[in-house]
Amino acid sequence: MNYDSVLSDRIKEVQPSGIRRFFDILEEMKDAISLGIGEPDFVTPWHIRDAGIYSLEKGFTKYTSNAGMAELRREIAAYLNRRFHLQYDFASQIIVTVGGSEAIDLSLRCLVNPGDEVIVPVPSFVCYGPLASMAGAKPVLVETKAENEFRLTADELRAAITPRTKVLVLPFPNNPTGGIMERADLEAIAEVLKDTNIMVLSDEIYAELTYGQHHVSPANLPELKDRTIVVNGFSKSHAMTGWRMGYVCGPKEIIQQMLKLHQFGIMSAPTVSQYAAVEAMRNGDHDIEKMRDEYDGRRRYLVEGLRRIGLPCFEPKGAFYVFPDIRSSGLSSDDFCEQFLLEEKVAVISGSAFGPGGEGFVRCCYATGMKDIAEALTRMDNFLTNLRKRQARTQG
């Protein structure tokens, strides 16, 4: 068989994730520290796990409604109203998905036609561009700037819009930068989008992880509500990555079309995970606060430590990542990460893996224990000291 001839051209053109290469090296190392994996180091809280276990003991193992259990969708609607002042009808405006990633895929495949353009601010999580491409659209990457704390500005958006623009992705709080969009930023975006039919896909998976201020969704703005699809989930806020639970909310006319694709492609999210998610929505607010407080302490410690050893970085206000500037090392982001991993056994992720705006930076995830963060900083200081000595000898 000539497999190259039978494979889809779209899938062949998509490049694999640039993140995984470092993890493949890391797996072969002993005594290595990872500041790379974007996953909470907390175990799912016991009362949530217990709800999942109880559902199995009671034999609740059948399919649920395609859109998800009505009980869960009611709890999601109540949670969004309670935590973010977002109002959605559980029956017609919410679908429970297999993680936030499925929700993003559903959104893009239901919104774009071949040749449409999807604006993606970068640096950002690696899935948006490939999923847009596989839906037949053209990703338009807009580089955000460190001097703007990696926010998308109105001028940057305005310059990227063409007659083919169909969707704007707003990935905030942001992975990998930790940047956020405040209400004033979103109001400026709304002014640019006024009198267009451009939809907003707002990935709010880190909405609960903001520091010093409350998350503002585009859907909180009346002028953006009707054009916004909100994607969220349980992975980051409730330490439920392996449960694969997400949801998507939006105008019922669009959600109804997304439900068709979800029905044929997925059927329904895992039943045991849905019962656990009900408990998370109903009684998990305290867990969120506890984990956020711990992340906040790590965040401040890591930022201070990176600055102390000579790596500038702005103070991230969301998610659980710091995005230091490593250009003073004289290395590319890829070279910095590879040499640091091989010499000091610490994994951080190249900023270039998150789009062209990430070159010259690396992502450090503080969803790990303080002891490992402290040791990683010591090893990074050693790495930079030795690197500068080697460079001085070469120049001399």
Side-chain angles (χ1 to χ4, degrees), residues 244-284:
R244 305 312 305 130
M245 288 299 295
Y247 53 91
V248 58
C249 314
K252 64 180 181 181
E253 294 83 0
I254 293 177
I255 293 297
Q256 288 170 358
Q257 298 304 313
M258 293 172 65
L259 182 58
K260 292 192 299 187
L261 184 55
H262 177 73
Q263 286 170 337
F264 293 125
I266 297 295
M267 182 71 76
S268 61
T271 302
V272 62
S273 297
Q274 292 192 54
Y275 278 101
V278 168
E279 174 65 18
M281 293 282 89
R282 188 174 289 160
N283 298 307

Short mmCIF file of all heavy atoms in Angstrom, two decimals, residues 244-284:
data_model
loop_
_atom_site.label_atom_id
_atom_site.label_comp_id
_atom_site.label_asym_id
_atom_site.label_seq_id
_atom_site.Cartn_x
_atom_site.Cartn_y
_atom_site.Cartn_z
N ARG A 244 -11.32 13.73 31.67
CA ARG A 244 -11.67 14.22 30.35
C ARG A 244 -13.08 14.82 30.32
O ARG A 244 -13.98 14.34 29.64
CB ARG A 244 -11.55 13.11 29.28
CG ARG A 244 -10.20 12.43 29.21
CD ARG A 244 -9.01 13.40 29.18
NE ARG A 244 -9.10 14.37 28.10
CZ ARG A 244 -8.94 15.69 28.29
NH1 ARG A 244 -8.69 16.20 29.48
NH2 ARG A 244 -9.01 16.51 27.26
N MET A 245 -13.23 15.90 31.06
CA MET A 245 -14.52 16.56 31.17
C MET A 245 -14.39 18.03 30.79
O MET A 245 -13.58 18.76 31.36
CB MET A 245 -15.06 16.47 32.60
CG MET A 245 -15.53 15.07 32.98
SD MET A 245 -16.88 14.50 31.92
CE MET A 245 -18.14 15.67 32.36
N GLY A 246 -15.19 18.44 29.80
CA GLY A 246 -15.23 19.84 29.41
C GLY A 246 -16.66 20.21 29.06
O GLY A 246 -17.59 19.40 29.18
N TYR A 247 -16.85 21.46 28.65
CA TYR A 247 -18.17 21.88 28.19
C TYR A 247 -18.04 23.11 27.31
O TYR A 247 -17.03 23.82 27.35
CB TYR A 247 -19.12 22.14 29.37
CG TYR A 247 -18.61 23.08 30.42
CD1 TYR A 247 -18.85 24.46 30.35
CD2 TYR A 247 -17.90 22.61 31.52
CE1 TYR A 247 -18.41 25.33 31.33
CE2 TYR A 247 -17.45 23.47 32.51
CZ TYR A 247 -17.70 24.82 32.41
OH TYR A 247 -17.25 25.68 33.39
N VAL A 248 -19.07 23.32 26.52
CA VAL A 248 -19.11 24.46 25.62
C VAL A 248 -20.47 25.12 25.76
O VAL A 248 -21.50 24.45 25.89
CB VAL A 248 -18.83 24.04 24.16
CG1 VAL A 248 -19.82 22.99 23.67
CG2 VAL A 248 -18.81 25.24 23.23
N CYS A 249 -20.46 26.45 25.78
CA CYS A 249 -21.68 27.23 25.95
C CYS A 249 -21.75 28.29 24.85
O CYS A 249 -20.72 28.82 24.42
CB CYS A 249 -21.71 27.95 27.30
SG CYS A 249 -21.25 26.92 28.71
N GLY A 250 -22.95 28.61 24.44
CA GLY A 250 -23.07 29.65 23.42
C GLY A 250 -24.50 29.83 22.96
O GLY A 250 -25.44 29.24 23.53
N PRO A 251 -24.70 30.61 21.91
CA PRO A 251 -26.05 30.80 21.36
C PRO A 251 -26.66 29.46 20.97
O PRO A 251 -25.99 28.60 20.40
CB PRO A 251 -25.79 31.69 20.12
CG PRO A 251 -24.48 32.36 20.40
CD PRO A 251 -23.68 31.39 21.18
N LYS A 252 -27.94 29.29 21.28
CA LYS A 252 -28.57 27.98 21.07
C LYS A 252 -28.56 27.57 19.61
O LYS A 252 -28.48 26.37 19.29
CB LYS A 252 -29.98 27.96 21.63
CG LYS A 252 -30.97 28.89 20.95
CD LYS A 252 -32.36 28.78 21.60
CE LYS A 252 -33.35 29.69 20.92
NZ LYS A 252 -34.70 29.60 21.55
N GLU A 253 -28.63 28.55 18.69
CA GLU A 253 -28.63 28.21 17.27
C GLU A 253 -27.33 27.52 16.86
O GLU A 253 -27.33 26.65 15.97
CB GLU A 253 -28.83 29.48 16.43
CG GLU A 253 -30.19 30.13 16.60
CD GLU A 253 -30.27 31.03 17.82
OE1 GLU A 253 -29.26 31.15 18.55
OE2 GLU A 253 -31.34 31.63 18.04
N ILE A 254 -26.23 27.90 17.49
CA ILE A 254 -24.94 27.28 17.19
C ILE A 254 -24.76 26.00 17.99
O ILE A 254 -24.29 24.97 17.46
CB ILE A 254 -23.80 28.27 17.46
CG1 ILE A 254 -23.88 29.43 16.46
CG2 ILE A 254 -22.43 27.58 17.38
CD1 ILE A 254 -22.85 30.51 16.67
N ILE A 255 -25.14 26.01 19.25
CA ILE A 255 -25.01 24.83 20.09
C ILE A 255 -25.80 23.66 19.51
O ILE A 255 -25.35 22.50 19.54
CB ILE A 255 -25.45 25.14 21.53
CG1 ILE A 255 -24.47 26.14 22.19
CG2 ILE A 255 -25.54 23.87 22.36
CD1 ILE A 255 -23.07 25.64 22.36
N GLN A 256 -26.97 23.93 18.95
CA GLN A 256 -27.77 22.85 18.35
C GLN A 256 -27.04 22.18 17.20
O GLN A 256 -27.13 20.96 17.00
CB GLN A 256 -29.11 23.41 17.88
CG GLN A 256 -30.07 23.74 19.01
CD GLN A 256 -31.28 24.52 18.55
OE1 GLN A 256 -31.42 24.87 17.37
NE2 GLN A 256 -32.19 24.81 19.48
N GLN A 257 -26.30 22.96 16.41
CA GLN A 257 -25.53 22.39 15.31
C GLN A 257 -24.31 21.62 15.83
O GLN A 257 -23.97 20.55 15.31
CB GLN A 257 -25.09 23.50 14.34
CG GLN A 257 -26.24 24.24 13.68
CD GLN A 257 -27.19 23.31 12.94
OE1 GLN A 257 -26.76 22.44 12.18
NE2 GLN A 257 -28.48 23.49 13.18
N MET A 258 -23.69 22.14 16.87
CA MET A 258 -22.55 21.45 17.47
C MET A 258 -22.98 20.12 18.06
O MET A 258 -22.22 19.14 18.03
CB MET A 258 -21.91 22.34 18.54
CG MET A 258 -21.24 23.58 17.99
SD MET A 258 -20.68 24.72 19.27
CE MET A 258 -19.43 23.75 20.05
N LEU A 259 -24.19 20.07 18.60
CA LEU A 259 -24.68 18.83 19.19
C LEU A 259 -24.77 17.71 18.15
O LEU A 259 -24.50 16.54 18.46
CB LEU A 259 -26.05 19.06 19.84
CG LEU A 259 -26.67 17.86 20.55
CD1 LEU A 259 -25.76 17.34 21.65
CD2 LEU A 259 -28.05 18.24 21.12
N LYS A 260 -25.10 18.04 16.91
CA LYS A 260 -25.16 17.02 15.87
C LYS A 260 -23.79 16.38 15.67
O LYS A 260 -23.66 15.15 15.59
CB LYS A 260 -25.64 17.63 14.55
CG LYS A 260 -27.09 18.08 14.55
CD LYS A 260 -27.59 18.39 13.15
CE LYS A 260 -26.82 19.52 12.49
NZ LYS A 260 -27.42 19.94 11.20
N LEU A 261 -22.76 17.19 15.58
CA LEU A 261 -21.40 16.66 15.38
C LEU A 261 -20.97 15.84 16.59
O LEU A 261 -20.37 14.77 16.45
CB LEU A 261 -20.44 17.82 15.14
CG LEU A 261 -18.99 17.48 14.83
CD1 LEU A 261 -18.89 16.54 13.64
CD2 LEU A 261 -18.19 18.76 14.55
N HIS A 262 -21.30 16.32 17.79
CA HIS A 262 -20.98 15.59 19.01
C HIS A 262 -21.71 14.25 19.05
O HIS A 262 -21.13 13.22 19.43
CB HIS A 262 -21.37 16.46 20.22
CG HIS A 262 -21.17 15.82 21.55
ND1 HIS A 262 -19.92 15.62 22.11
CD2 HIS A 262 -22.07 15.32 22.44
CE1 HIS A 262 -20.05 15.05 23.30
NE2 HIS A 262 -21.34 14.85 23.52
N GLN A 263 -22.97 14.21 18.62
CA GLN A 263 -23.75 12.97 18.60
C GLN A 263 -23.10 11.91 17.72
O GLN A 263 -22.97 10.75 18.11
CB GLN A 263 -25.17 13.26 18.07
CG GLN A 263 -26.08 13.99 19.03
CD GLN A 263 -27.37 14.44 18.36
OE1 GLN A 263 -27.42 14.60 17.13
NE2 GLN A 263 -28.41 14.65 19.15
N PHE A 264 -22.70 12.31 16.52
CA PHE A 264 -22.16 11.35 15.57
C PHE A 264 -20.72 10.97 15.88
O PHE A 264 -20.30 9.84 15.60
CB PHE A 264 -22.26 11.90 14.15
CG PHE A 264 -23.68 12.04 13.66
CD1 PHE A 264 -24.16 13.25 13.18
CD2 PHE A 264 -24.54 10.95 13.68
CE1 PHE A 264 -25.46 13.38 12.72
CE2 PHE A 264 -25.85 11.07 13.23
CZ PHE A 264 -26.31 12.29 12.75
N GLY A 265 -19.95 11.89 16.46
CA GLY A 265 -18.54 11.62 16.69
C GLY A 265 -18.21 11.03 18.04
O GLY A 265 -17.26 10.26 18.18
N ILE A 266 -19.00 11.39 19.07
CA ILE A 266 -18.66 11.02 20.44
C ILE A 266 -19.76 10.23 21.13
O ILE A 266 -19.51 9.34 21.92
CB ILE A 266 -18.33 12.29 21.28
CG1 ILE A 266 -17.10 13.00 20.71
CG2 ILE A 266 -18.10 11.93 22.75
CD1 ILE A 266 -15.80 12.21 20.80
N MET A 267 -21.01 10.54 20.87
CA MET A 267 -22.20 10.00 21.54
C MET A 267 -22.45 10.76 22.83
O MET A 267 -23.38 11.54 22.94
CB MET A 267 -22.09 8.50 21.80
CG MET A 267 -23.33 7.89 22.44
SD MET A 267 -24.75 7.78 21.34
CE MET A 267 -24.25 6.37 20.33
N SER A 268 -21.61 10.52 23.85
CA SER A 268 -21.74 11.28 25.10
C SER A 268 -20.45 11.15 25.88
O SER A 268 -19.66 10.22 25.67
CB SER A 268 -22.92 10.76 25.94
OG SER A 268 -22.73 9.41 26.31
N ALA A 269 -20.22 12.10 26.78
CA ALA A 269 -19.03 12.05 27.63
C ALA A 269 -19.15 10.89 28.61
O ALA A 269 -20.26 10.41 28.90
CB ALA A 269 -18.88 13.38 28.38
N PRO A 270 -18.03 10.41 29.17
CA PRO A 270 -18.08 9.25 30.07
C PRO A 270 -19.02 9.48 31.26
O PRO A 270 -18.97 10.52 31.92
CB PRO A 270 -16.63 9.11 30.54
CG PRO A 270 -15.82 9.73 29.45
CD PRO A 270 -16.65 10.86 28.94
N THR A 271 -19.86 8.51 31.53
CA THR A 271 -20.88 8.65 32.57
C THR A 271 -20.27 8.82 33.95
O THR A 271 -20.68 9.68 34.73
CB THR A 271 -21.81 7.42 32.54
OG1 THR A 271 -22.40 7.32 31.24
CG2 THR A 271 -22.91 7.55 33.58
N VAL A 272 -19.27 8.01 34.29
CA VAL A 272 -18.66 8.12 35.62
C VAL A 272 -18.05 9.50 35.82
O VAL A 272 -18.15 10.08 36.90
CB VAL A 272 -17.61 7.00 35.82
CG1 VAL A 272 -16.46 7.13 34.82
CG2 VAL A 272 -17.05 7.06 37.25
N SER A 273 -17.46 10.05 34.78
CA SER A 273 -16.86 11.39 34.87
C SER A 273 -17.94 12.45 35.07
O SER A 273 -17.72 13.45 35.77
CB SER A 273 -16.04 11.69 33.62
OG SER A 273 -14.96 10.80 33.48
N GLN A 274 -19.09 12.25 34.46
CA GLN A 274 -20.16 13.23 34.61
C GLN A 274 -20.68 13.26 36.05
O GLN A 274 -20.97 14.34 36.60
CB GLN A 274 -21.31 12.93 33.65
CG GLN A 274 -20.95 13.16 32.18
CD GLN A 274 -22.18 13.15 31.29
OE1 GLN A 274 -23.14 13.88 31.53
NE2 GLN A 274 -22.15 12.31 30.26
N TYR A 275 -20.80 12.10 36.69
CA TYR A 275 -21.23 12.09 38.09
C TYR A 275 -20.20 12.78 38.98
O TYR A 275 -20.57 13.50 39.92
CB TYR A 275 -21.51 10.66 38.55
CG TYR A 275 -22.88 10.16 38.16
CD1 TYR A 275 -23.05 9.31 37.08
CD2 TYR A 275 -24.00 10.57 38.87
CE1 TYR A 275 -24.31 8.87 36.70
CE2 TYR A 275 -25.28 10.12 38.50
CZ TYR A 275 -25.42 9.28 37.42
OH TYR A 275 -26.68 8.85 37.04
N ALA A 276 -18.93 12.55 38.71
CA ALA A 276 -17.89 13.23 39.47
C ALA A 276 -17.96 14.74 39.24
O ALA A 276 -17.78 15.54 40.16
CB ALA A 276 -16.52 12.69 39.08
N ALA A 277 -18.25 15.13 38.01
CA ALA A 277 -18.31 16.55 37.66
C ALA A 277 -19.48 17.25 38.35
O ALA A 277 -19.39 18.43 38.71
CB ALA A 277 -18.41 16.73 36.15
N VAL A 278 -20.59 16.55 38.54
CA VAL A 278 -21.71 17.12 39.28
C VAL A 278 -21.25 17.53 40.68
O VAL A 278 -21.53 18.64 41.16
CB VAL A 278 -22.89 16.13 39.36
CG1 VAL A 278 -23.93 16.61 40.38
CG2 VAL A 278 -23.54 15.93 38.00
N GLU A 279 -20.54 16.63 41.33
CA GLU A 279 -20.03 16.93 42.67
C GLU A 279 -19.04 18.09 42.63
O GLU A 279 -19.04 18.96 43.52
CB GLU A 279 -19.37 15.69 43.27
CG GLU A 279 -18.67 15.89 44.59
CD GLU A 279 -19.60 16.26 45.74
OE1 GLU A 279 -20.83 16.05 45.61
OE2 GLU A 279 -19.10 16.78 46.75
N ALA A 280 -18.19 18.14 41.62
CA ALA A 280 -17.23 19.24 41.50
C ALA A 280 -17.93 20.58 41.36
O ALA A 280 -17.54 21.57 41.99
CB ALA A 280 -16.31 19.00 40.30
N MET A 281 -18.96 20.63 40.54
CA MET A 281 -19.71 21.87 40.34
C MET A 281 -20.47 22.27 41.60
O MET A 281 -20.57 23.45 41.94
CB MET A 281 -20.69 21.72 39.18
CG MET A 281 -20.08 21.56 37.81
SD MET A 281 -19.46 23.12 37.07
CE MET A 281 -17.77 23.15 37.68
N ARG A 282 -21.03 21.29 42.28
CA ARG A 282 -21.92 21.57 43.41
C ARG A 282 -21.15 21.92 44.68
O ARG A 282 -21.56 22.81 45.43
CB ARG A 282 -22.80 20.34 43.64
CG ARG A 282 -23.93 20.53 44.64
CD ARG A 282 -24.80 19.29 44.66
NE ARG A 282 -25.60 19.14 43.44
CZ ARG A 282 -26.15 18.00 43.03
NH1 ARG A 282 -25.97 16.89 43.74
NH2 ARG A 282 -26.87 17.96 41.92
N ASN A 283 -20.02 21.24 44.90
CA ASN A 283 -19.33 21.38 46.19
C ASN A 283 -17.82 21.61 46.06
O ASN A 283 -17.08 21.35 47.01
CB ASN A 283 -19.57 20.13 47.06
CG ASN A 283 -21.04 19.93 47.39
OD1 ASN A 283 -21.70 20.83 47.89
ND2 ASN A 283 -21.56 18.74 47.08
N GLY A 284 -17.38 22.09 44.91
CA GLY A 284 -15.95 22.19 44.68
C GLY A 284 -15.34 23.57 44.77
O GLY A 284 -14.14 23.73 44.52
#
